[in-house]
Amino acid sequence: MFIKSFGCQMNVYDAGRMADVLAPEGFLETATIEEADLIILNTCHIRERAAEKVFSELGKIRDLKSDRASLGLSTTLAVAGCVAQAEGAEILRRQPAVDLVVGPQSYHRLPDLVSRARGGIKVLDTDFPADDKFAALPQPAEAKTRSRGLSSFVTVQEGCDKFCTFCVVPYTRGAEYSRGPEQVMAEIAGLTAAGVREVSLLGQNVNAYHGVAQDGSVWSLAQLVRAIAAMPGILRIRYTTSHPNDMAADLVEAHRDIPALMPFLHLPVQSGSDRILAAMNRKHTVADYRAEIARVRAARPDIALSSDFIVGFPGETDADFEATLDLIREIGFASTFSFKYSPRPGTPGAVLDGHVKEAIKRDRLARLQAVVDPQRQAFNAACVGRVMPVLFEKIGRHAGQIVGKSPYLQPVQVDADPALIGSVRDVEITALGPNSLFGTLTEAEPPSRAAQGS
């Protein structure tokens, strides 16, 4: 089988779990699409023209499927993920080569769905089933997990109840759902047994996590992070994506108190204009965001910030846009993701008045990126001369070189023994490259466990 994922980190996680659930049925992953008798496109509906990109990809696979048929080879083509959820019937109508459409809440049923599709039945499954898909999924096999490296995504929360007017997540992923903490920790225990040392906790609204434990208590994300940090083998913990309204006091304190929780926070604000934030139904103001940033920085002064920005939302004026630039200059970000607004069918934003002309959106995006890019470059440049803990993950491109990751997600290249892969070592950053940092080891022995996280 060949699985191609688009979009967010959760889709990367989902792709791995699809492979896990299909492995007992005899499906092995291949990196070459031409060799696959099962092809799954795992789609994302967030980005601009998402559906059009999927249909373009399906056209190419249709031709590949025809070529394989001429050689007597059968190919089953499936579309999964958020575009499948939003436009499942349309996919089957427009592209007859598709055999199976499955939404993100049903991929635990893939073995049965694929079997039906391979039997010649067109299958559409975009329901929101009542059963717990995570409970139905197998634990990743150790060999399979090892192939995923030292860092792994773990979904702890899905869906969203915020209903931002630009966003399709409540319609494609459903209402907020949090996995039980014991279930999450059991999955992480399997990952660490297979060599994973860093976990990134995922959710569309991850800091709204409210998992119900077996004793009936409700855990916050901070409680979950504290429990994971105490697990053997875990060196680093990250989480994404967060909402400003859900930065609870105990989560801020976790950044202060837990060395394994990395000092990097992705906290999308979207706009620096209260008027536009209200139109987006973000449920926070610019002042709220400033206050949250102040609280986090007071608790963890070395924290680096990342955010999302949408330019050209319906009704955005020049003054609204300038307010966004002012907020960026004031806060300062180590990294950002910025996009032109594009309407998503079925969302309230799509029918708002005052849509901004494409040329204006394009100009505003370029101007915003001209402000945020120097901030990113300045943050990276300021790392030169610092000593940072680096989690080494793989062999480098050049002989004698290994590559790791800083607490701030920057690649770090060091000339060192490959035996250090899987450990955290202090590195003095000596130079800045176009896409990574360079450094030298500063210690002869591995640091203590407490020192490995920050």
Side-chain angles (χ1 to χ4, degrees):
M1 64 181 158
F2 178 89
I3 305 175
K4 180 173 181 177
S5 283
F6 301 80
C8 66
Q9 297 100 323
M10 192 172 286
N11 268 13
V12 176
Y13 172 85
D14 285 353
R17 300 318 307 272
M18 289 180 197
D20 293 335
V21 78
L22 287 167
E25 308 301 314
F27 288 97
L28 302 176
E29 285 189 88
T30 175
T32 305
I33 190 171
E34 290 81 6
E35 296 177 348
D37 55 8
L38 171 61
I39 300 171
I40 302 174
L41 295 187
N42 189 24
T43 62
C44 177
H45 211 291
I46 298 298
R47 301 294 180 253
E48 188 176 8
R49 297 188 302 275
E52 289 86 344
K53 292 175 183 176
V54 169
F55 282 112
S56 174
E57 192 78 15
L58 288 174
K60 299 173 187 175
I61 298 174
R62 174 200 59 205
D63 295 339
L64 170 63
K65 187 174 178 179
S66 177
D67 291 342
R68 283 175 52 86
S70 67
L71 299 173
L73 301 173
S74 175
T75 310
T76 303
L77 174 55
V79 181
C82 290
V83 174
Q85 183 70 41
E87 306 193 35
E90 179 69 2
I91 290 170
L92 289 176
R93 186 189 69 81
R94 284 183 55 180
Q95 184 48 267
V98 174
D99 304 292
L100 164 62
V101 175
V102 56
Q105 301 308 320
S106 298
Y107 64 73
H108 59 300
R109 301 202 289 236
L110 270 173
D112 175 62
L113 300 177
V114 169
S115 176
R116 289 162 56 194
R118 288 164 72 89
I121 301 171
K122 294 285 184 178
V123 179
L124 173 64
D125 189 337
T126 53
D127 294 334
F128 287 93
D131 53 320
D132 180 357
K133 73 174 180 184
F134 293 103
L137 291 169
Q139 286 294 324
E142 180 170 327
K144 185 80 168 60
T145 305
R146 286 190 185 279
S147 72
R148 294 176 190 161
L150 291 161
S151 298
S152 182
F153 296 124
V154 177
T155 292
V156 302
Q157 182 272 341
E158 278 195 303
C160 186
D161 296 342
K162 296 293 192 289
F163 287 92
C164 298
T165 56
F166 56 79
C167 186
V168 299
V169 166
Y171 312 103
T172 58
R173 290 276 181 171
E176 287 180 3
Y177 167 79
S178 297
R179 300 173 67 187
E182 293 91 353
Q183 188 185 75
V184 171
M185 289 189 288
E187 181 174 340
I188 291 174
L191 293 169
T192 57
V196 168
R197 295 293 172 258
E198 176 183 82
V199 291
S200 294
L201 309 180
L202 298 181
Q204 272 85 27
N205 196 18
V206 69
N207 56 344
Y209 176 84
H210 53 278
V212 179
Q214 291 175 356
D215 64 3
S217 61
V218 179
W219 287 34
S220 68
L221 181 64
Q223 288 174 282
L224 181 65
V225 167
R226 288 182 185 275
I228 294 170
M231 295 177 67
I234 287 295
L235 300 180
R236 290 183 166 182
I237 303 168
R238 305 179 187 274
Y239 63 89
T240 195
T241 290
S242 305
H243 193 285
N245 285 16
D246 294 311
M247 284 302 299
D250 65 342
L251 186 56
V252 175
E253 291 164 1
H255 278 283
R256 179 193 66 199
D257 299 337
I258 303 174
L261 182 58
M262 292 293 93
F264 186 90
L265 175 62
H266 183 66
L267 192 63
V269 62
Q270 305 298 359
S271 174
S273 162
D274 283 342
R275 195 177 69 83
I276 295 302
L277 289 173
M280 289 176 167
N281 195 35
R282 287 290 289 169
K283 300 181 175 70
H284 66 83
T285 65
V286 175
D288 294 333
Y289 190 80
R290 288 192 182 102
E292 293 300 336
I293 296 303
R295 284 200 305 140
V296 171
R297 281 178 163 163
R300 187 74 195 250
D302 65 334
I303 201 160
L305 300 172
S306 174
S307 192
D308 291 349
F309 295 94
I310 295 173
V311 302
F313 189 78
E316 185 186 66
T317 64
D318 289 342
D320 294 321
F321 176 68
E322 290 296 336
T324 298
L325 297 184
D326 289 343
L327 182 65
I328 293 170
R329 296 185 184 105
E330 173 190 342
I331 300 294
F333 294 95
S335 66
T336 57
F337 298 90
S338 51
F339 312 95
K340 296 178 295 182
Y341 172 74
S342 59
R344 291 292 176 268
T347 61
V351 295
L352 288 177
D353 294 330
H355 279 261
V356 178
K357 293 180 180 178
E358 182 65 25
I360 294 175
K361 289 193 288 187
R362 186 166 55 246
D363 175 69
R364 287 177 182 172
L365 182 62
R367 290 175 58 198
L368 185 145
Q369 291 175 343
V371 174
V372 297
D373 283 351
Q375 290 187 346
R376 176 185 58 80
Q377 294 168 9
F379 177 82
N380 289 337
C383 293
V384 177
R386 291 181 59 183
V387 174
M388 291 185 180
V390 173
L391 172 60
F392 288 109
E393 297 183 322
K394 60 184 180 180
I395 298 290
R397 295 175 60 186
H398 304 292
Q401 185 183 80
I402 58 176
V403 180
K405 192 160 48 187
S406 81
Y408 306 113
L409 289 172
Q410 302 144 305
V412 181
Q413 303 184 47
V414 176
D415 289 334
D417 189 338
L420 294 179
I421 291 173
S423 68
V424 175
R425 301 291 296 273
D426 281 343
V427 172
E428 180 180 1
I429 306 303
T430 57
L432 173 64
N435 301 302
S436 61
L437 305 176
F438 295 84
T440 57
L441 293 174
T442 65
E443 55 183 24
E445 297 296 329
S448 66
R449 176 179 169 84
Q452 292 201 22
S454 63

